[in-house]
Amino acid sequence: MFSTHVTKDISAYCHGELSNAESKQFAEHIIACAKCRAKFEEVKLGVKLAEQLPQLSAPDHLWRELEPLLDGEVQTVRRAYDLSWQLRAAAAVALVLFASLGVWLIYSNRTNQLLANKRAWRVKRVDGTPTVGTERISKDGELAVGEWLETDANSRAQIDVSSIGNVDIDENTRVRLLETRPTEHRLELARGKMSARIWAPPRLFFVNTPSAVAADLGCAYTLEVDDHGSSVLHVTSGWVALELENRESFVPAGAACETQPSLGPGTPYFEDCAAGFKDALKKVDFDPDAAARSAALNAMLVQARPRDTLTLWHLLARVDGTDRALVYDTMAVLSPPPPGVTREGVLTLDQKMLDAWRDSLETMWMGFGKGVPKPIAETYWKLKNGLSRRLKDMMPK
Ligand SMILES: [Zn+2]
């Protein structure tokens, strides 16, 4: 099926050297081909490390090279001190010129690197006159790293996310481009609503919101942030991970997840669940009163269907005591745990057992999502628990 693997292009892709068409072809292959994807994750990790090295070590490196030369120049200046003031001035000027040249070389090198990586995204006006930075755009514009794009009640825009997808920006929305590199693209959604369609290997596109970070796992989704910093995520294809500190929610196609600034990601749920199930879950996630949370949990569990184990599995680690036991017992009836996974192990949150149970449920969860590339479904958790976890640790918070 995969006659032409793309392993030879991985380095070029990670350095932004492929054309848009080539990048798209590359990403499509990576999503479908486990072999190339594994190689890609390795190279991406290496490139990310390399990208961070120059920023940390450049000053030392610069000084190691410049110091002996500067020492020489200082000696020249000292000797010149005995000569006439013109000679001294000439030596000082030479020193300044020399140092400037060094600094200029370093900076121009860095600038070239930045330009080569195309540190801006194309913005298309859809309605009204959106603002990019301080400029109102009436047609097309560019959103550079650090710049805000803002729409009012009458304007909308569309952004090309490098060559890996696009994002629709609805009315009354404020977004900022935080980073764009072949190994990481990151937006900040401060307020309003955006819809993203991303065609790229997992964990390349991130959206920071006030209450969680949305990590794309090859997908399409809508993300909305209100004035209090709470957000709602709806996933229409693929998977999205919502993360804040140690709390993570994995949201497949057909599911949604709410987040609140004080708590981070809530628990994901399938959107076709019973209305009472969803209302009760909101209390379980966000009600400050423990008794109210327990009561809501009971109300939720009696309405759970087998596919709602998506919600229950996430809840296992989020509730404790008798509540956790109740969640386990309900899950065990809806979809019994695989061999080797015991009640005792799950109640003590044995990670291996939790993972094994999730793996056995995942096919059912994914089976309900439309248009999910099957290889992603099969390898998603492996990626999550493997290299991508290490990558995540390196992501700026
Ligand atoms: Zn391949």
Side-chain angles (χ1 to χ4, degrees), residues 6 9 13 18-33 36-37 40 163-165 198-202 204 218 373 376:
V6 295
D9 294 329
Y13 178 85
L18 298 183
S19 71
N20 281 5
E22 287 166 339
S23 293
K24 189 164 185 290
Q25 234 172 20
F26 175 91
E28 283 169 2
H29 180 89
I30 288 284
I31 287 172
C33 175
C36 288
R37 191 169 53 245
F40 169 74
S163 57
I164 63 165
I198 302 298
W199 193 244
L204 273 191
I376 287 191

Side-chain angles (χ1 to χ4, degrees), residues 155 173 217 245 330 376:
S155 57
T173 298
L217 305 165
E245 286 149 21
T330 309
I376 287 191

